[in-house]
Amino acid sequence: FLVGDEALRPYRARVERAQEQLEQVTRVIEARELEGQITNTGHELEMLVDVVGNLKIEDATSTTQIVEEISSIYASINQLLARLRQRSRELQTREGSAQFAAQLHLISQAVANLLDRSDKPEKCDDHLGRLLVQVEELETRFAEFDEFLVDLAEKRTEITSAFEAKKLALIDARNRR
């Protein structure tokens, strides 16, 4: 059965479908799902190689033909996985940039809001601490993007300066009263 043309056709068909799906991938989550499918096909081929290795086939030519067919499909899977991982990195960068920009904008809005609500020096410290925790969480989430870490360091400095200035102004106003 394994020597016949039909034996490995389902695997070739899966690889061809995955190649078509790769062109349609527009989000990282889709890339991960496709990678799981491709990896699963690879695992099934590994089991098939084990089966072929354990079969007592006296015709060495037949065994060689089966192994070469499986190797050919494996090569296609490896190429497909390489292309998929490249595509995934591109999508991850694009999605990460958009998400980072949105998160940074949200923090900027929170800074403006919390500065306005800080009417005592103690509140400045509380709000500053809360915002710095948010910046740290962003650093953790976007750690693989070096350019974002620079932006976050600048944002941290900006936030700290703004709240320290507000705190000093409130202390001065309190002392003048």
Side-chain angles (χ1 to χ4, degrees):
F1 172 74
L2 291 173
V3 175
D5 291 336
E6 296 296 316
L8 297 175
R9 183 167 291 177
Y11 294 105
R12 279 191 228 102
R14 283 190 206 171
V15 171
E16 289 170 7
R17 266 194 316 273
Q19 287 173 342
E20 292 169 3
Q21 289 175 331
L22 175 61
E23 303 304 321
Q24 307 298 320
V25 170
T26 58
R27 297 182 354 208
V28 172
I29 193 159
E30 294 170 354
R32 287 187 183 135
E33 290 171 4
L34 184 57
E35 184 175 6
Q37 294 171 11
I38 295 168
T39 303
N40 187 43
T41 301
H43 290 312
E44 289 177 15
L45 283 173
E46 288 174 18
M47 287 191 307
L48 191 58
V49 167
D50 290 342
V51 168
V52 169
N54 291 328
L55 289 177
K56 303 295 182 216
I57 302 173
E58 293 183 18
D59 184 9
T61 305
S62 296
T63 304
T64 302
Q65 180 183 353
I66 295 166
V67 171
E68 285 176 355
E69 280 291 319
I70 293 172
S71 282
S72 171
I73 296 170
Y74 252 135
S76 297
I77 286 174
N78 289 335
Q79 290 171 352
L80 185 59
L81 280 172
R83 286 179 43 218
L84 180 63
R85 288 184 180 129
Q86 176 62 31
R87 176 82 173 138
S88 182
R89 277 191 296 274
E90 292 167 4
L91 291 171
Q92 193 172 24
T93 299
R94 188 172 70 220
E95 288 178 10
S97 295
Q99 186 179 24
F100 179 76
Q103 292 290 333
L104 206 57
H105 182 68
L106 182 64
I107 284 182
S108 295
Q109 293 301 318
V111 167
N113 181 31
L114 292 175
L115 273 172
D116 189 46
R117 290 179 26 206
S118 296
D119 55 358
K120 296 180 183 174
E122 297 78 23
K123 283 188 178 179
C124 286
D125 290 337
D126 291 342
H127 295 311
L128 174 62
R130 189 176 330 145
L131 287 168
L132 291 179
V133 167
Q134 289 178 2
V135 171
E136 286 179 27
E137 288 173 356
L138 287 179
E139 284 177 333
T140 302
R141 190 179 323 159
F142 295 101
E144 69 261 10
F145 300 103
D146 292 336
E147 64 274 12
F148 296 164
L149 297 179
V150 172
D151 292 343
L152 287 170
E154 291 172 1
K155 183 55 87 174
R156 175 185 286 111
T157 302
E158 176 186 315
I159 291 169
T160 303
S161 297
F163 276 94
E164 289 298 322
K166 176 79 176 201
K167 180 179 174 181
L168 288 175
L170 290 170
I171 291 173
D172 284 345
R174 181 187 289 169
N175 290 339
R176 273 186 264 132
R177 262 191 313 242

